[in-house]
Amino acid sequence: MSDYAIGLVGWGTVGGGVLNILQQDGTLLKERCNLNVRLKAIVTRNPDRARDQKPGSAVVGSDLALITDDPEIKTVLHLVGGTTAAKDIAIACLRAGKHVVTANKALLAEHWDELFAVAKETGHTIAFEAAVAGGIPVIAALRDGLVANDIRGIYSILNGTCNYILSRMTQDGMGYDEALGLAKDLGYAESDPTLDVNGTDTAHKLAILAQIAFNTNVPFCAVHIEGIENISADDIESAQRLDSTIKLLGVAKRCPAGVELRVAPTLVPNSNPLAHVNANYNAVRIMANNAGPTLLVGQGAGALPTASAVLSDLIDIAVGSYQRTAEYFRFFAGGEPSTILPEEDEFTASYARFRVKDEPGVLAQMTATLSKHGVSLRAVHQGEPDADSTAEIEVTTHPTRGGAFLSAVKEIDQAGITVQPTVCLRRLDEG
Ligand code: HSE
């Protein structure tokens, strides 16, 4: 059995999970992989952590040289957050001749080209299964299991906090703030949940997935991002009336003119399995030309699920199978960014809720405006008028150019027939 020495940078939640798995399931790994994974050094800003968890035979310190100067260490588990020091650490490890396994999606999404350029130059690799959807082996599925497929689209739920909030609002009628408070208490949300609820965390993960799925360079800054902060109880009720469920979806779709890449709260018809992925679960639905639609569901965060993904990368690297596809990932370094379609050119189905004056001709004027902009209606529903002589009209559309739909809604709002700004949401139509 060969010995494989590794280093760990960052002894937080996921680092602790890695230690737990190595201590509890090390024998299983040895038997399966004929490999003795030996954690030789831990670099942490908080050496007191050793009071909570035994580091085994690993030496613990705060100096990265403990790892970079040790020629025996072949791979570094890079489990630090942020994008500044984290980038320097990853690059220092690559330059010291180590492979790097990271769970840091923000780092990858924002500095992909630079990191992979260094990986290419040094002949080492960066693995990142843990950066997208925690314990779900989605990167492995894309680079291995689905390698013989042209990937047409990805529809995903990639943030457990948002999924938890929306699930509690939908299933229990809970308010947004209360559900967010519970997500924090349960440890799903980050200490500052802004990046969770505003869609940025989902966008980081989506950009990484799209790079791998479409074999192209996808700049993170081009993702269109809307969060769930403004989703109201009325939106949730409307979705339920339409036999749909609101999910924060990350969508990456290849079209003849480019790539659609967006994160947005979306009405998912209940006939789609994504509508039934609840609580803090993540899910990735991959539309593959040969395998067909494939749905992966699981825990997208947490110490053990994320550590499970970290260790799968480590074993892949240690046995040499990751390097087989490493060139594929390096290919992107410095490549031309692919064309990301502007939001107005995206082709999506939509939902709108108008509050209108209950007067003759209002519905006719609305539908004439939608028709003028080329928007094809799928369904229209008007509720009973309220005491203030206004009524709610909800429409869903067939897939339409996004710009046409938004222009039509703007024109309707400006025509003086609506009494409050119209609510617009996407509606999932996998077409
Ligand atoms: N806070 C994230 C979530 C996990 O709620 O899914 C880390 O990306």
Side-chain angles (χ1 to χ4, degrees):
M1 181 170 310
S2 48
D3 195 62
Y4 195 87
I6 63 169
L8 167 65
V9 188
W11 196 357
T13 306
V14 181
V18 165
L19 242 79
N20 275 335
I21 296 183
L22 287 177
Q23 286 164 3
Q24 284 169 26
D25 297 316
T27 309
L28 179 147
L29 279 177
K30 274 183 199 156
E31 285 170 7
R32 283 202 180 140
C33 312
N34 197 29
L35 201 68
N36 180 35
V37 174
R38 189 162 52 89
L39 179 58
K40 201 173 170 202
I42 300 176
V43 172
T44 172
R45 280 186 309 194
N46 176 18
D48 289 346
R49 182 86 164 82
R51 275 197 228 127
D52 316 323
Q53 193 175 32
K54 296 273 169 282
S57 60
V59 49
V60 180
S62 57
D63 186 353
L64 189 63
L66 271 181
I67 288 175
T68 49
D69 286 358
D70 185 337
E72 211 191 0
I73 292 178
K74 298 190 177 74
T75 293
V76 180
L77 309 185
H78 171 279
L79 301 177
V80 285
T83 55
T84 308
K87 186 177 80 172
D88 296 341
I89 291 167
I91 288 176
C93 292
L94 289 167
R95 292 211 181 282
K98 322 290 182 198
H99 299 294
V100 170
V101 176
T102 187
N104 188 329
K105 61 258 163 191
L107 174 68
L108 290 169
E110 290 171 22
H111 299 289
W112 183 280
D113 282 354
E114 187 179 349
L115 288 167
F116 278 91
V118 178
K120 184 175 184 176
E121 185 193 324
T122 59
H124 287 79
T125 200
I126 307 172
F128 47 87
E129 183 67 77
V132 181
I136 303 177
V138 61
I139 303 295
L142 287 169
R143 72 183 164 85
D144 274 347
L146 295 172
V147 72
N149 287 265
D150 183 28
I151 306 298
R152 304 281 164 84
I154 289 184
Y155 301 90
S156 56
I157 296 171
L158 295 172
N159 185 273
T161 301
C162 290
N163 205 30
Y164 180 81
I165 293 171
L166 293 171
S167 297
R168 295 306 300 258
M169 289 175 78
T170 301
Q171 296 177 330
D172 308 314
M174 196 175 275
Y176 174 85
D177 290 332
E178 191 186 352
L180 172 59
L182 276 175
K184 284 190 202 164
D185 293 347
L186 290 164
Y188 301 151
E190 306 295 319
S191 48
D192 173 4
T194 311
L195 299 186
D196 289 310
V197 297
N198 73 8
T200 305
D201 178 73
T202 300
H204 283 144
K205 297 166 183 168
L206 184 70
I208 297 169
L209 276 184
Q211 299 245 127
I212 310 308
F214 301 151
N215 213 7
T216 185
N217 188 344
V218 174
F220 159 71
C221 57
V223 184
H224 311 135
I225 310 175
E226 286 169 41
I228 63 164
E229 306 100 314
N230 297 322
I231 294 297
S232 66
D234 286 346
D235 299 330
I236 299 280
E237 272 175 36
S238 296
Q240 286 173 320
R241 262 199 309 278
L242 295 167
D243 197 20
S244 299
T245 305
I246 296 184
K247 296 290 177 191
L248 183 71
L249 280 198
V251 175
K253 202 165 82 179
R254 233 178 17 186
C255 314
V259 174
E260 279 187 19
L261 208 55
R262 69 173 164 279
V263 174
T266 303
L267 267 72
V268 179
N270 287 336
S271 54
N272 188 301
L274 285 171
H276 305 284
V277 176
N278 288 316
N280 63 329
Y281 276 84
N282 280 202
V284 186
R285 185 161 154 91
I286 304 168
M287 312 308 268
N289 69 328
N290 296 318
T294 298
L295 179 67
L296 303 171
V297 182
Q299 285 291 310
L304 294 177
T306 312
S308 155
V310 167
L311 289 170
S312 80
D313 273 345
L314 170 69
I315 297 298
D316 251 6
I317 289 175
V319 301
S321 64
Y322 196 87
Q323 289 82 327
R324 192 164 47 81
T325 47
E327 278 305 318
Y328 169 81
F329 294 112
R330 284 183 198 144
F331 171 75
F332 303 113
E336 280 302 305
S338 55
T339 305
I340 308 298
L341 294 181
E343 209 167 354
E344 59 269 23
D345 287 342
E346 288 179 357
F347 203 70
T348 61
S350 299
Y351 159 88
R353 191 169 67 247
F354 303 91
R355 168 68 57 181
V356 297
K357 294 174 186 165
D358 182 22
E359 288 171 358
V362 162
L363 185 57
Q365 195 177 342
M366 275 179 54
T367 52
T369 307
L370 288 160
S371 156
K372 186 179 85 183
H373 286 270
V375 177
S376 173
L377 292 175
R378 181 181 163 277
V380 181
H381 174 264
Q382 176 171 343
E384 289 289 329
D386 282 353
D388 64 356
S389 296
T390 66
E392 198 167 79
I393 299 180
E394 291 173 297
V395 304
T396 53
T397 76
H398 290 295
T400 311
R401 229 188 104 250
F405 177 70
L406 292 176
S407 301
V409 170
K410 190 171 169 196
E411 192 174 321
I412 291 167
D413 277 350
Q414 287 173 347
I417 55 176
T418 51
V419 296
Q420 61 190 43
T422 297
V423 175
C424 297
L425 291 168
R426 320 274 179 157
R427 181 177 173 278
L428 178 61
D429 185 327
E430 289 176 341

